[in-house]
Amino acid sequence: MPVPKILTVVQARMGSSRLPGKVLLPLAGQPLLVRMVQRVQRAHLAGTVVVATTTDPADDAIVELCAAHGLACFRGDALDLLDRHYQAARHYGADVVLKIPSDCPLIDPAVIDEVVGFYLHFADRYDFVSNLHPATFPDGNDVEVMPIEDLETAWREARRPLEREHTTPFFWENPGRFRIGNVEWDAGQDFSMSHRWTIDYPEDYNFIKAVYDALFPTNPTFGLPEILALLEKRPDIAQINARYAGVNWYRNHLDELQTVDSSQTKIL
């Protein structure tokens, strides 16, 4: 069996209704997006990592950032993220495609390797593997893996706006059609609704910055265990964005989603 060509797509844009330009906010002396991509690149099974931004002129800043830091960059549709994802995968000739959102600057490379490793080991058994259905890891460790053939099927057939905007719902909303695999956190705990390590609000940035400030200077490769230990020791840091724990995009689509219910999101 030839080794599949793996592509990790990190979708990023300057526009954000709650925190514009969040991907350029500073973390340990570099833009947040750069710090996040560095973490993703440390995963042994991430393959080629590409930042997929839009053709909107506002996102010229992301293209320039990628050029300045030697990061691969692809531009595509501003609103149809499924199309942008698929076109990036085609452009790079990928066999296996990962989706990791750009709002996960604390993602642990070991989690990426665990999910991709599971997919590769059971590639004949699953069409789509993630650690999100149901989620158990701290929010912000999102990894989704699919072969290019099935990504093309979704790209060709997905019709609902939420399927185009969020890239992968076509898979997990059709369990009778796709074989869905899920990787649960081996800690035997579910921190997905209680530990928010993603960025969408100013408080999220303040939390993430506090984690970086505490851990990065002495251990730039800190991971999930080190973050949990820090929060145990410094509950004040955990409180910075605690009010948003459990808030995610599902809350706006509960009437449309068949495989997600209100226990998997929080309504503000």
Side-chain angles (χ1 to χ4, degrees):
M1 281 283 291
V3 178
K5 185 173 182 181
I6 300 174
L7 180 75
T8 296
V9 180
V10 177
Q11 304 248 20
R13 64 190 180 95
M14 289 295 292
S16 168
S17 57
R18 286 170 288 273
L19 192 56
K22 62 186 179 183
V23 294
L24 299 190
L25 291 171
L27 277 183
Q30 293 287 353
L32 181 147
L33 181 60
V34 172
R35 288 297 182 209
M36 182 187 152
V37 172
Q38 289 173 341
R39 293 179 73 83
V40 175
Q41 288 174 330
R42 283 203 292 274
H44 301 294
L45 298 177
T48 299
V49 182
V50 59
V51 174
T53 192
T54 85
T55 53
D56 191 306
D59 289 323
D60 290 351
I62 290 180
V63 176
E64 291 162 9
L65 175 78
C66 290
H69 290 85
L71 307 180
C73 187
F74 179 87
R75 304 188 85 161
D77 195 285
L79 300 177
D80 188 341
L81 275 74
L82 176 52
D83 181 70
R84 200 192 318 165
H85 212 93
Y86 173 66
Q87 299 301 343
R90 278 193 61 191
H91 178 81
Y92 284 90
D95 301 310
V96 174
V97 191
L98 275 65
K99 178 198 172 191
I100 297 179
S102 64
D103 55 5
C104 297
L106 292 175
I107 193 164
D108 190 328
V111 175
I112 299 172
D113 282 337
E114 184 179 358
V115 178
V116 181
F118 180 92
Y119 168 81
L120 293 175
H121 188 74
F122 295 110
D124 58 342
R125 192 181 302 181
Y126 297 111
D127 303 310
F128 174 87
V129 168
S130 76
N131 59 352
L132 297 171
H133 303 288
T136 51
F137 289 88
D139 187 12
N141 284 280
D142 307 5
V143 185
E144 300 174 85
V145 192
M146 65 225 79
I148 185 65
E149 296 84 3
D150 291 318
L151 178 60
E152 182 172 352
T153 297
W155 170 77
R156 196 171 54 244
E157 299 184 21
R159 294 285 180 268
R160 296 192 293 167
L162 74 87
E163 293 169 339
R164 308 304 302 194
E165 179 186 352
H166 296 285
T167 310
T168 51
F170 187 79
F171 291 101
W172 36 269
E173 286 284 282
N174 289 286
R177 181 168 181 185
F178 298 103
R179 300 169 299 169
I180 310 296
N182 188 61
V183 176
E184 294 191 358
W185 189 20
D186 59 13
Q189 296 174 285
D190 181 356
F191 280 7
S192 62
M193 293 288 290
S194 59
H195 289 59
R196 181 182 172 86
W197 300 358
T198 183
I199 181 166
D200 204 25
Y201 298 93
E203 292 91 335
D204 294 330
Y205 170 65
N206 293 334
F207 165 78
I208 291 162
K209 183 177 183 300
V211 171
Y212 264 82
D213 288 348
L215 297 176
F216 189 89
T218 55
N219 181 11
T221 61
F222 68 88
L224 192 153
E226 289 80 14
I227 301 172
L228 290 175
L230 171 67
L231 301 182
E232 187 77 25
K233 189 170 66 176
R234 293 280 310 276
D236 58 303
I237 294 178
Q239 283 304 309
I240 294 174
N241 67 339
R243 69 182 292 247
Y244 293 112
V247 174
N248 57 46
W249 69 268
Y250 297 159
R251 72 191 188 282
N252 299 317
H253 298 278
L254 288 174
D255 58 334
E256 299 174 81
L257 294 166
Q258 304 300 311
T259 59
V260 173
D261 61 41
S262 59
S263 70
Q264 293 163 276
T265 190
K266 174 182 172 183
I267 312 251
L268 284 175

